[in-house]
């Protein structure tokens, strides 16, 4: 157990961007204690292990053994097929776990949006199955590729309406979200008059009003300015549950994801942890170019 735990601790601490000192402070122990755990010299007691799992946002099994807890399986996808004029998905198999941070990559037209739309129920597959172990009505939040917004409401009215539907309405909370997403100046503006990037920020805000077990984001940063993109990825880091993001934003994905899926030729051609890519001294962009030789040809 010791080696796996030490490795997990170092990996998960770095992923959370915590120094040994930061972690020690949160656990009320000395930095030397954390260092000894990471060197495999000593092990924390059970109370500290439980706190560690909480701080690092993982199950105890995952912290100790490096394995996803099968009880944490939220979606099992088997042999999924979908064709339009020609086949798009041609037998996709995938297990999705509650703590996954997935970047779904692939060329234009590879079928990423089709795949996510099937997961959140906007499209039906031709064949195959999706077993969901979460109550998708309450546990699923989606930010689709195209903003689905009501142009004749003001920003505030839109957020109020969505908050009522999501049963999270409170004026304090709505004000706070408007501030966080830097839409104060646009509060009274009709949604149809917002810029593309402002619409994207509003869509993201709406997708994050309530907590979810699964958050699906389809090219969320397209059209955002650099400040908004930075804000977006930082915010995402604090969102709980599983996140699946379709993105081409290679500047950021090294930091925020744990698992990379490559959709190619209608299948999940690659399913690999970010740590594994980094352990080969590759960035995700380099890895992607190596494995997706059809990139740019679609
Ligand atoms: N409703 C539809 N009717 C017909 N064809 C469709 C439909 N939706 C998608 N397609 C086709 O399915 C293929 C996959 O499209 P999809 O949008 O899933 O790809 P994608 O990987 O998300 O692409 P991008 O990176 O460009 O957003 C494309 O060839 C597209 O034209």
């Amino acid at each position: 157990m010791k080696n796996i735990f030490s490795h997990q601790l170092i990996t998960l601490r770095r992923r959370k961007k915590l120094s040994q000192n930061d972690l020690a402070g949160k656990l009320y122990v000395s930095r030397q204690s954390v260092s000894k755990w990471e060197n495999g010299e000593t092990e924390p007691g059970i109370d500290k292990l439980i706190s560690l799992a909480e701080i690092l946002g993982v199950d105890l099994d995952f912290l100790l053994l490096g394995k996803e807890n099968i009880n944490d399986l939220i979606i099992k996808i088997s042999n999924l097929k979908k064709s339009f004029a020609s086949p798009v998905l041609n037998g996709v198999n995938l297990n999705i776990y509650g703590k996954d941070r997935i970047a779904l990559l692939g060329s234009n037209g590879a079928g990423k949006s089709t795949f996510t739309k099937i997961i959140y129920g906007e499209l039906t597959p031709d064949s195959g199955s999706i077993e969901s172990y979460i109550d998708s009505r309450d546990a699923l939040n989606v930010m689709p590729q195209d903003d689905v917004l009501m142009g004749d409401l003001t920003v505030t009215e839109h957020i109020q309406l969505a908050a009522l539907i999501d049963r999270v309405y409170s004026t304090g909370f709505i004000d706070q979200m408007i501030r966080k997403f830097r839409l104060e100046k646009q509060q009274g503006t009709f949604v149809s008059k917002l810029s593309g990037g402002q619409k994207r920020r509003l869509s993201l805000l709406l997708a994050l009003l309530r907590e979810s077990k699964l958050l699906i984001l389809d090219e969320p940063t397209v059209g955002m300015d650099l400040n908004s993109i930075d804000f977006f990825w930082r915010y995402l880091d604090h969102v709980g549950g599983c996140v699946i993001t379709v993105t081409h934003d290679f500047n950021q994905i090294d930091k925020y994801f744990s698992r990379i899926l490559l959709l190619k030729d209608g299948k999940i051609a690659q399913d690999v942890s970010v740590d594994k890519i980094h352990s080969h001294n590759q960035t995700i962009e380099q890895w992607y170019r190596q494995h997706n030789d059809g990139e740019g040809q679609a």
Side-chain angles (χ1 to χ4, degrees):
M1 165 207 149
K2 207 188 269 179
N3 284 339
I4 299 174
F5 165 70
S6 306
H7 173 79
Q8 283 294 89
L9 180 55
I10 295 168
T11 307
L12 295 166
R13 175 176 63 74
R14 288 185 181 154
R15 193 178 291 163
K16 282 271 170 195
K17 297 183 203 71
L18 294 170
S19 66
Q20 287 186 340
N21 260 329
D22 296 335
L23 192 57
K26 286 177 188 288
L27 288 163
Y28 304 107
V29 298
S30 65
R31 191 199 60 78
Q32 285 77 4
S33 300
V34 175
S35 171
K36 284 182 178 172
W37 300 339
E38 293 192 351
N39 292 333
E41 288 173 44
T42 58
E43 290 168 24
I46 187 68
D47 55 330
K48 295 297 177 203
L49 278 174
I50 291 169
S51 305
L52 266 174
E54 250 174 52
I55 293 165
L56 299 170
V58 294
D59 287 333
L60 214 43
D61 277 5
F62 190 61
L63 177 63
L64 293 173
L65 306 170
K67 287 186 188 141
E68 293 288 2
N69 183 346
I70 197 67
N71 296 327
D72 201 26
L73 180 67
I74 56 171
I75 296 190
K76 183 175 183 62
I77 296 169
S78 308
N79 207 17
L80 206 68
K81 295 189 179 174
K82 178 77 182 174
S83 295
F84 292 107
S86 55
V88 176
L89 303 178
N90 195 18
V92 172
N93 294 296
L94 185 67
N95 285 346
I96 300 173
Y97 297 91
K99 302 286 189 306
D100 275 343
R101 296 282 151 145
I102 296 175
L104 177 59
L105 309 181
S107 305
N108 291 138
K112 303 177 297 297
S113 295
T114 303
F115 182 48
T116 55
K117 281 179 187 169
I118 291 175
I119 298 176
Y120 63 78
E122 191 179 315
L123 283 175
T124 39
D126 299 335
S127 62
S129 67
I130 300 190
E131 291 163 51
S132 172
Y133 301 98
I134 53 174
D135 176 354
S136 55
R137 268 177 311 127
D138 285 334
L140 176 69
N141 285 341
V142 178
M143 179 180 175
Q145 191 171 22
D146 302 315
D147 298 310
V148 184
L149 297 170
M150 285 171 272
D152 51 359
L153 296 182
T154 65
V155 167
T156 302
E157 286 167 350
H158 205 317
I159 299 169
Q160 285 170 337
L161 179 66
L164 278 170
I165 293 169
D166 285 350
R167 297 191 294 271
V168 290
Y169 188 97
S170 96
T171 44
F173 175 58
I174 290 171
D175 288 347
Q176 187 194 347
M177 290 300 271
I178 289 174
R179 266 200 314 279
K180 266 193 197 168
F181 284 77
R182 293 189 288 115
L183 286 166
E184 299 105 307
K185 285 191 189 142
Q186 288 77 31
Q187 285 181 69
T189 306
F190 284 107
V191 170
S192 57
K193 301 275 189 264
L194 294 178
S195 72
Q198 289 164 347
K199 282 185 184 152
R200 247 12 224 152
R201 284 217 301 276
L202 177 60
S203 294
L204 179 65
L205 184 159
L206 297 176
L208 294 173
L209 276 174
R210 61 175 184 182
E211 289 185 359
S212 66
K213 293 251 169 63
L214 173 60
L215 172 65
I216 297 179
L217 305 158
D218 196 345
E219 303 206 25
T221 55
V222 169
M224 285 185 189
D225 60 32
L226 287 178
N227 282 340
S228 303
I229 290 174
D230 285 348
F231 162 80
F232 165 80
W233 290 111
R234 277 203 309 274
Y235 197 92
L236 192 63
D237 209 27
H238 295 99
V239 169
C242 171
V243 181
I244 302 179
T245 309
V246 177
T247 183
H248 298 276
D249 192 355
F250 284 104
N251 286 329
Q252 301 288 346
I253 55 183
D254 278 279
K255 291 186 222 147
Y256 294 99
F257 293 93
S258 59
R259 185 177 175 192
I260 305 293
L261 302 178
L262 176 64
L263 192 58
K264 190 176 165 188
D265 301 328
K267 292 188 191 278
I268 303 289
Q270 297 283 333
D271 178 356
V272 64
S273 75
V274 171
D275 289 338
K276 189 158 178 205
I277 296 174
H278 289 169
S279 73
H280 289 96
N281 289 324
Q282 276 187 313
T283 62
I284 295 170
E285 180 168 1
Q286 289 165 335
W287 174 91
Y288 177 74
R289 287 185 191 282
Q290 183 187 340
H291 289 90
N292 194 45
D293 46 22
E295 169 71 338
Q297 292 169 19

